[in-house]
Amino acid sequence: MVAKMLSSKWISASLLVLFLSLHPGVHAFYLPGTFMHTYTRGENISAKVNSLTSIETELPFSYYSLPYCKPPEGVKKSAENLGEILMGDQIDNSPYLFRVNVNESVYLCTTDPLTKDQAELIKKRARDLYQVNMVLDNLPVMRFTEQNGMTIQWTGFPVGYNPTGSNEDYIINHLKFRVLVHQYQAQGDVVVTSEDGVAMVESDRKSGFQIVGFEVVPCSVRRDPEAMSKLKMYDSVDSVNCPLELEKSQAIRENERITFTYEVEYVLSNIKWPSRWDAYLKMDGAKVHWFSIMNSMMVVFFLAGIVFVIFLRTVRRDLTRYEEMDKEAQAQMNEELSGWKLVVGDVFREPSCSKLLCVMVADGIQITGMAVVTIVFAALGFLSPASRGMLLTGMIILYLFLGIIAGYVGVRVWRTIKGTSEGWKSVAWLTACFFPGIVFIILTVLNSILWGKKSTGALPISLFFTLLALWFCISVPLTLIGGLMGTRAASIDYPVRTNQIPREIPERKFPSWLLVLGAGTLPFGTLFIELFFILSSIWLGRFYYVFGFLFIVLFLLVIVCGEVSLVLTYMHLCVEDWKWWWKAFFASGSVAFYVFLYSINYLVFDLRSLSGPISATLYLGYSLIMALAIMLSTGAIGFLLSFYFVHYLFSSVKID
């Protein structure tokens, strides 16, 4: 259960229940998404269909791109939020009609003779393992398969299949639905807490049936098209025992007419409506290996603790020795010893490409803020799988409005480096355009590929203009406002003066960037296990729901990034290398390099079913965006902590 893994949900739920109990007049609803609906016996419910998806191609296509039966009132698209469109979802109505708590076997339609192109398209979709995604009362349809003696749960059902040893492809044209319903008895205002820790109030509801489960057994049935075509839609037909022998299954051939039918069975269930998503969140493919993650966290805490203790003892010892000496002894030590004390006149010298550094740090803070707030809201249950697309929509909205913080941070760092506010407008503009501009270019290239394949994953032109409008009407102005606030904030003065002539940096046997690149391995150790489940959620259609644990991992990552950057900065200063600015950024930001390598490893070994250069290009394009965001976020954290450390370090030294 989710609640057993995320105790924070229980706390928030308990507080909500206490508040509601003290205010009986308050009307509330289920936080994660849809409003609870109670149906009467015989009431009609229409199922909806989403895009056809495949783990082999990652190219979604419209359900009605295949010759399926269409509803009598015509195909109508459901309202979609920004996140659904970006994820390639296309929700349409369907002819599948359910009468609540009425078992029946129903005829839908018989197609016209398949053309050669239609037959080949269905075969291609079946061989590419495309799944039909159907939704009833906001619940995705779920099926069960037996593999190696284990029962595996899947969402959706295949377009068709090709049996081993057969030259024929068969289409799924008969669906046996099993709808789980909970019989609800109205009892006035009742506060209910679901097992995932979310509270709701049932207020003055009518008695009836609530849909708490949606399962399907797909099969292929060959029927007489002449006899079937005489029937009208929703007429009764004979029930079918699935699966059938191949001789009785419907093959996909040119000039073949295919009859589509379905049957519905209602089963009373003790599952209550707030807990109906538990069956999806407990799917075997989405279980988190808790012991592995805890072991990884313990190792990282142990290593980080050792580094932190050694680091504090070393710095404190140096400062104590330096401050206890008189001025003559300090001068003699400066002549005889090497180390961070000798770069006092160069440590705050302006780095190369300082404007780019300010922009990248600002964008990293913006991405970090977006990630933290999104994960917190998701962990509290406001962004659940029941709300399709809301997670991505929330991230975009947060990113837009956090532009004000990015502008402030970027200009403040620029003022600190330059000592003046001159040029702050260009810094704010670049901050608003750097990361979104790179993402926009990558998405445009990937979108052109999807357009060429006529995939529903391709963003419509209207959405491009919508995103540009949001970008320039919200994010850019807020970033400029934040930059203006940064110019008026108190300046950060350097504790030491910078010499006019830069100090020569001693030669080293190994390039310093090699050490910086290797430093990313420790932050990566906090990520790689959780990264596997995140990638599985994105590319294998599994539900990711352990946001409470993800928040802990994120908190751990921030600590490790800070410590790694501090240690690397101190090591570079000790060898008289005063060019620490960019190295502090990439010491923790280099974790993105390993994330991208892991993404390639995941593509090769875990997405072996992914076929074709187009699918691989899409995967690598999205992985590049993810790696860039991680680099900016972790790099900004490491740089800011290193800057404050260096500022504190040299503020503690007595300088004439």
Side-chain angles (χ1 to χ4, degrees):
M1 295 300 176
V2 181
K4 295 179 181 178
M5 296 177 282
L6 303 176
S7 59
S8 60
K9 282 191 171 185
W10 280 109
I11 298 173
S12 61
S14 301
L15 293 175
L16 184 57
V17 171
L18 177 61
F19 175 79
L20 293 173
S21 63
L22 295 175
H23 296 77
V26 173
H27 296 267
F29 56 90
Y30 183 51
L31 291 178
T34 58
F35 185 72
M36 183 176 70
H37 195 105
T38 303
Y39 300 95
T40 58
R41 178 180 174 83
E43 185 175 350
N44 290 337
I45 316 174
S46 293
K48 296 181 180 181
V49 287
N50 203 340
S51 301
L52 304 176
T53 56
S54 169
I55 61 174
E56 281 212 349
T57 66
E58 299 297 342
L59 296 172
F61 290 98
S62 170
Y63 173 81
Y64 291 108
S65 63
L66 297 182
Y68 286 124
C69 302
K70 296 183 179 180
E73 66 275 15
V75 178
K76 298 178 182 178
K77 298 184 183 300
S78 298
E80 297 171 336
N81 57 46
L82 181 60
E84 286 180 297
I85 299 175
L86 290 173
M87 292 190 301
D89 289 346
Q90 181 176 308
I91 313 294
D92 299 317
N93 60 337
S94 79
Y96 290 91
L97 192 65
F98 295 77
R99 292 193 295 165
V100 176
N101 214 30
V102 176
N103 298 338
E104 55 188 344
S105 185
V106 179
Y107 166 79
L108 273 185
C109 74
T110 300
T111 66
D112 295 329
L114 295 179
T115 64
K116 181 180 179 180
D117 291 340
Q118 287 177 326
E120 291 299 324
L121 182 61
I122 298 174
K123 289 180 180 180
K124 179 174 176 56
R125 295 287 183 263
R127 291 172 181 175
D128 287 341
L129 304 182
Y130 270 88
Q131 301 282 316
V132 178
N133 300 293
M134 193 173 292
V135 179
L136 181 68
D137 195 38
N138 206 44
L139 278 182
V141 69
M142 184 167 57
R143 65 185 173 94
F144 300 88
T145 59
E146 294 287 338
Q147 292 184 5
N148 300 324
M150 297 178 60
T151 300
I152 300 179
Q153 297 171 256
W154 303 83
T155 54
F157 57 89
V159 169
Y161 60 95
N162 177 254
T164 306
S166 174
N167 296 325
E168 293 278 8
D169 294 280
Y170 298 88
I171 188 172
I172 298 297
N173 64 335
H174 182 80
L175 302 173
K176 295 175 67 72
F177 292 109
R178 185 170 179 262
V179 182
L180 305 182
V181 292
H182 176 73
Q183 192 165 8
Y184 175 78
Q185 298 293 334
Q187 298 177 353
D189 291 359
V190 179
V191 178
V192 177
T193 303
S194 67
E195 292 187 357
D196 59 354
V198 180
M200 59 171 287
V201 171
E202 300 174 347
S203 178
D204 297 328
R205 297 199 171 279
K206 62 182 179 181
S207 299
F209 299 93
Q210 298 167 349
I211 297 177
V212 295
F214 187 34
E215 303 170 3
V216 68
V217 177
C219 59
S220 181
V221 180
R222 181 175 179 82
R223 297 182 185 269
D224 182 5
E226 297 298 330
M228 291 289 106
S229 59
K230 296 178 182 179
L231 298 176
K232 296 180 180 180
M233 185 176 285
Y234 305 125
D235 282 352
S236 297
V237 294
D238 295 334
S239 179
V240 176
N241 293 321
C242 298
L244 298 175
E245 299 83 1
L246 292 181
E247 298 79 26
K248 298 180 180 180
S249 300
Q250 178 63 62
I252 306 171
R253 302 190 188 101
E254 185 180 354
N255 296 322
E256 194 81 15
R257 299 182 67 188
I258 300 175
T259 297
F260 289 91
T261 55
Y262 69 97
E263 53 188 286
V264 184
E265 177 190 6
Y266 288 87
V267 178
L268 289 177
S269 172
N270 292 325
I271 300 173
K272 293 187 177 181
W273 194 90
S275 303
R276 63 181 190 161
W277 272 89
D278 288 355
Y280 298 86
L281 302 183
K282 291 188 296 183
M283 294 173 70
D284 292 336
K287 286 184 178 178
V288 179
H289 300 163
W290 295 102
F291 291 107
S292 299
I293 292 179
M294 289 300 297
N295 178 67
S296 176
M297 292 179 66
M298 291 176 63
V299 171
V300 170
F301 269 124
F302 177 73
L303 293 177
I306 293 178
V307 170
F308 195 60
V309 170
I310 294 176
F311 172 72
L312 280 182
R313 291 185 61 184
T314 303
V315 174
R316 187 172 297 173
R317 183 186 60 203
D318 283 354
L319 286 175
T320 302
R321 288 178 55 194
Y322 197 87
E323 291 177 354
E324 288 178 353
M325 297 179 181
D326 55 25
K327 292 184 178 180
E328 294 183 0
Q330 289 180 13
Q332 182 180 1
M333 186 186 72
N334 288 339
E335 294 177 359
E336 297 177 354
L337 299 179
S338 62
W340 59 268
K341 285 81 62 177
L342 298 181
V343 296
V344 65
D346 299 274
V347 68
F348 292 109
R349 190 177 301 279
E350 180 181 346
S352 59
C353 303
S354 56
K355 183 175 292 187
L356 179 61
L357 177 63
C358 297
V359 169
M360 293 176 70
V361 169
D363 281 340
I365 293 300
Q366 187 175 4
I367 294 170
T368 303
M370 175 197 69
V372 170
V373 176
T374 301
I375 292 174
V376 168
F377 272 82
L380 293 176
F382 288 95
L383 300 172
S384 82
S387 304
R388 287 185 303 272
M390 286 305 297
L391 184 66
L392 186 55
T393 303
M395 291 174 64
I396 294 173
I397 294 175
L398 282 170
Y399 183 84
L400 293 174
F401 284 95
L402 287 173
I404 190 170
I405 296 179
Y408 176 83
V409 172
V411 172
R412 190 95 189 271
V413 175
W414 172 255
R415 280 187 62 201
T416 302
I417 293 176
K418 287 289 187 179
T420 176
S421 298
E422 185 178 353
W424 72 270
K425 292 181 181 179
S426 62
V427 174
W429 268 102
L430 285 173
T431 298
C433 298
F434 179 73
F435 178 69
I438 295 175
V439 173
F440 186 80
I441 292 172
I442 296 176
L443 288 181
T444 301
V445 174
L446 298 181
N447 209 52
S448 62
I449 297 175
L450 294 172
W451 270 334
K453 288 293 182 178
K454 299 180 180 179
S455 168
T456 59
L459 304 182
I461 294 294
S462 59
L463 183 61
F464 262 89
F465 285 109
T466 301
L467 291 174
L468 286 174
L470 291 173
W471 183 4
F472 285 104
C473 295
I474 298 179
S475 183
V476 172
L478 286 177
T479 306
L480 291 173
I481 292 173
L484 181 61
M485 294 169 60
T487 61
R488 299 179 178 180
S491 60
I492 301 176
D493 298 323
Y494 292 147
V496 294
R497 294 188 300 269
T498 300
N499 297 333
Q500 292 184 352
I501 301 175
R503 181 185 182 87
E504 182 179 356
I505 300 176
E507 294 185 2
R508 303 179 63 181
K509 294 183 179 179
F510 302 99
S512 58
W513 286 104
L514 191 62
L515 183 62
V516 170
L517 186 63
T521 55
L522 188 57
F524 180 71
T526 68
L527 275 181
F528 77 98
I529 293 180
E530 203 68 24
L531 189 61
F532 169 81
F533 295 102
I534 294 175
L535 292 176
S536 298
S537 172
I538 296 173
W539 299 105
L540 296 180
R542 298 171 181 170
F543 290 106
Y544 187 87
Y545 61 95
V546 285
F547 292 101
F549 215 141
L550 183 60
F551 180 78
I552 297 175
V553 172
L554 178 63
F555 178 73
L556 181 63
L557 178 66
V558 170
I559 295 176
V560 175
C561 285
E563 291 180 342
V564 167
S565 290
L566 292 182
V567 172
L568 263 291
T569 299
Y570 182 73
M571 291 176 62
H572 283 104
L573 294 179
C574 285
V575 294
E576 303 175 38
D577 186 354
W578 47 267
K579 296 182 178 180
W580 59 271
W581 303 77
W582 280 106
K583 293 167 187 174
F585 183 91
F586 285 111
S588 53
S590 61
V591 65
F593 173 73
Y594 298 99
V595 169
F596 190 72
L597 288 182
Y598 184 84
S599 300
I600 296 175
N601 173 81
Y602 187 85
L603 171 64
V604 174
F605 295 103
D606 294 283
L607 286 181
R608 287 172 290 184
S609 60
L610 199 65
S611 60
I614 293 178
S615 302
T617 301
L618 292 173
Y619 174 85
L620 293 176
Y622 292 126
S623 298
L624 183 61
I625 294 175
M626 178 181 67
L628 177 62
I630 292 175
M631 181 195 72
L632 293 174
S633 176
T634 55
I637 294 169
F639 170 81
L640 290 178
L641 290 176
S642 293
F643 175 81
Y644 283 108
F645 159 70
V646 173
H647 191 279
Y648 167 77
L649 182 64
F650 285 89
S651 298
S652 304
V653 177
K654 300 175 183 178
I655 304 294
D656 289 336

